[in-house]
């Protein structure tokens, strides 16, 4: 519950008290009251000046609240303790100064002692409250800084944990995948060199070429995961749509490629490399799925710009399987299409993958081309 005696309401009360004094129409009272009202108005921007303007009102014993509020502001805002001490001393002297001055000799020592005590309370009280409020504000600010520092520390520790995990994944990927793919490349090369069958030699050469390409891409990806190879980071995954013709031939599938001539000629800086790479990976993964799930089925690949020339539209459509798959079981985890959706979402695109009524399958991606 909020207190009824807020600083602003206290100012209103003090100002009203000063204005009520005007009703006496005494010259001295009118002057000190006017100065006190002006001091209350200036106390927020000029606390020391505001205190000096309110001191006469307490000296003649008319209003005590106005200089106390001004002293509170000085204690809160003053950066030097000397200023607070000097202002507190001035308030103490003004509060202890009897009015009129010739009445000093008429006071008893008990009255003098009571005057000193009341002056001390009137001067020390606002100073103590102001310093307390100032300390509280400083502690609050330091606590906020500490919380921000802790949040930064947690974020940095999380980033370091991610870097360590990426390095571990890079080591495992390199040690495991490169070992098996390297053996495939070596064996395919040996088979290509020793066989006399032209068809087998051609197949072995395709296997060797794909193995070498896989090792190159693996090296780039490992460099990205380690974060130590800037060149690999920029090259990893940077494929071009002009390579789709080669990809279609090497897939050993019945693929019909419909590629926009402007796209086949090279990017030329007209669209983002991320969009081009995502489009290539979409076609690559879709053809891999055709090979695994619909062997012998014809596939149609279409890559064009949208009507407004601001997006790449990639479609891979295949029919139903023409023949049962008789090779070894291939690992199927469902991560390919999930990865394609994530790739498209990262650059602000969409990907649709659904079966067709004729038993085939459709993969369609719409990717922002980055054209201004």
């Amino acid at each position: 519950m909020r207190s009824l005696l807020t600083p602003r309401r206290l100012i209103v009360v003090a100002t009203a008290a000063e204005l009520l004094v005007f009703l006496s129409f005494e010259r001295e009272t009118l002057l000190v009251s006017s100065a006190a009202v002006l001091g209350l108005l200036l106390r927020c921007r000029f606390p020391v000046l505001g205190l000096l303007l309110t001191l006469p009102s307490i000296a003649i014993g008319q209003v005590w609240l106005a200089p106390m509020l001004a002293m509170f502001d000085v204690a809160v805002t003053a950066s030097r303790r000397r200023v607070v001490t000097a202002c507190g001393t001035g308030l103490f002297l003004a509060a202890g100064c009897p009015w009129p001055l010739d009445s000093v000799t008429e006071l008893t020592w008990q009255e003098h002692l009571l005057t000193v005590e009341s002056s001390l309370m009137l001067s020390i009280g606002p100073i103590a409250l102001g310093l307390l409020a100032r300390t509280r504000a400083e502690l609050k600010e330091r606590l906020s800084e500490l919380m921000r520092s802790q949040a930064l520390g947690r974020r940095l520790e999380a980033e370091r944990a991610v870097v360590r995990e990426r390095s571990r994944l890079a080591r495992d990927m390199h040690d495991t995948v490169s070992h098996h793919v390297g053996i495939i490349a070596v064996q395919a090369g040996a088979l290509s060199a020793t066989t006399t069958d032209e068809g087998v030699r051609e197949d072995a050469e395709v296997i060797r070429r794909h193995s070498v390409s896989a090792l190159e891409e693996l090296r780039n990806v490992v460099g990205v995961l380690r974060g130590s190879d800037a060149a690999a980071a920029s090259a990893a995954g940077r494929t071009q749509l002009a390579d789709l013709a080669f990809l279609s031939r090497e897939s050993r599938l019945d693929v019909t490629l419909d590629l926009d001539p402007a796209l086949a000629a090279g990017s030329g800086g007209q669209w983002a490399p991320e969009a081009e790479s995502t489009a290539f990976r979409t076609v690559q993964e879709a053809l891999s799925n055709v090979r695994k799930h619909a062997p012998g089925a014809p596939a149609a690949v279409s890559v064009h710009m949208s009507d407004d020339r601001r997006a790449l539209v990639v479609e891979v459509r295949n029919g139903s399987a023409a023949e049962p798959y008789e090779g070894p079981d291939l690992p199927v985890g469902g991560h390919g299409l999930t990865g394609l959706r994530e790739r498209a979402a990262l650059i602000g695109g969409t990907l649709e993958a659904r079966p067709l009524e004729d038993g085939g399958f459709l993969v369609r991606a719409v990717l922002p081309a980055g054209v201004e």
Side-chain angles (χ1 to χ4, degrees):
M1 183 177 180
R2 294 184 58 184
S3 175
L4 296 177
L5 296 178
T6 60
R8 291 189 176 182
R9 291 177 180 175
L10 289 176
I11 296 173
V12 173
V13 172
T15 305
E18 296 288 351
L19 292 175
L20 288 176
V21 177
F22 289 171
L23 299 177
S24 64
F25 294 106
E26 295 180 2
R27 182 179 179 182
E28 295 177 351
T29 304
L30 182 63
L31 290 177
V32 298
S33 299
S34 302
V37 172
L38 180 60
L40 288 174
L41 296 177
L42 298 176
R43 54 184 278 274
C44 294
R45 298 193 61 180
F46 307 101
V48 176
L49 178 60
L51 176 63
L52 294 178
L53 292 174
T54 58
L55 287 182
S57 65
I58 195 173
I60 65 174
Q62 295 294 339
V63 175
W64 295 46
L65 187 57
M68 293 175 64
L69 289 175
M71 186 68 245
F72 174 83
D73 281 341
V74 172
V76 170
T77 59
S79 59
R80 296 181 180 180
R81 293 191 178 272
R82 294 180 180 179
V83 176
V84 178
T85 303
C87 292
T89 303
L91 179 58
F92 170 77
L93 295 177
C97 178
W99 187 261
L101 296 178
D102 56 4
S103 63
V104 176
T105 57
E106 300 176 359
L107 299 177
T108 63
W109 68 271
Q110 292 92 346
E111 293 174 335
H112 282 294
L113 181 60
L114 181 61
T115 301
V116 172
E117 291 177 352
S118 60
S119 301
L120 285 174
M121 288 188 295
L122 290 175
S123 58
I124 295 177
I127 293 176
L129 291 176
L131 293 178
L132 179 62
R134 179 176 179 176
T135 303
R136 182 177 180 274
E138 292 176 352
L139 289 177
K140 185 177 180 180
E141 179 64 24
R142 292 182 181 180
L143 180 60
S144 300
E145 293 179 358
L146 179 61
M147 294 178 65
R148 289 193 295 267
S149 177
Q150 290 178 344
L152 177 61
R154 288 193 295 268
R155 185 168 66 252
L156 292 177
E157 180 59 29
E159 292 176 357
R160 286 193 291 267
V162 170
V163 171
R164 291 194 296 266
E165 183 65 17
R166 289 174 61 179
S167 298
R168 185 190 67 80
L169 290 174
R171 291 192 299 269
D172 293 344
M173 183 183 300
H174 180 271
D175 296 342
T176 302
V177 180
S178 64
H179 170 73
H180 295 292
V181 177
I183 292 177
I184 294 173
V186 172
Q187 294 294 335
L191 179 61
S192 176
T194 57
T195 186
T196 57
D197 190 326
E198 187 63 27
V200 174
R201 180 181 294 108
E202 183 179 351
D203 291 340
E205 181 61 23
V206 170
I207 295 173
R208 187 196 65 80
R209 193 162 56 245
H210 278 281
S211 301
V212 173
S213 177
L215 287 175
E216 285 292 327
E217 293 195 15
L218 176 64
R219 182 185 67 83
N220 292 336
V221 172
V222 169
V224 173
L225 290 176
R226 290 184 178 274
S228 58
D229 191 346
S234 61
R238 292 292 185 248
T239 51
Q240 294 184 347
L241 293 177
D243 299 329
L244 285 178
F246 178 77
L247 177 65
S248 301
R249 291 193 304 269
E250 292 294 312
S251 66
R252 297 299 181 93
L253 296 172
D254 183 11
V255 179
T256 302
L257 177 62
D258 182 12
L259 180 61
D260 192 319
L263 299 176
S267 62
Q270 296 182 358
W271 46 81
E274 292 80 6
E276 192 173 8
S277 176
T278 302
F280 181 90
R281 296 302 181 189
T282 300
V283 176
Q284 186 181 51
E285 179 63 25
L287 294 181
S288 297
N289 289 337
V290 172
R291 187 182 301 107
K292 290 188 291 186
H293 303 293
V301 178
S302 173
V303 182
H304 288 83
M305 298 291 291
S306 62
D307 295 337
D308 58 4
R309 312 293 294 179
R310 299 184 64 85
L312 287 173
V313 181
V314 182
E315 285 190 1
V316 181
R317 187 188 302 263
N318 66 272
S320 59
E323 56 188 30
Y325 179 70
E326 299 179 353
D329 293 337
L330 298 176
V332 178
H335 302 295
L337 292 178
T338 301
L340 291 181
R341 290 190 179 93
E342 293 174 350
R343 281 177 177 269
L346 285 175
I347 62 174
T350 59
L351 185 133
E352 174 190 9
R354 58 181 176 86
L356 301 175
E357 295 181 356
D358 59 358
F361 203 82
L362 171 67
V363 176
R364 186 175 189 272
V366 179
L367 310 172
V371 179
E372 298 297 337

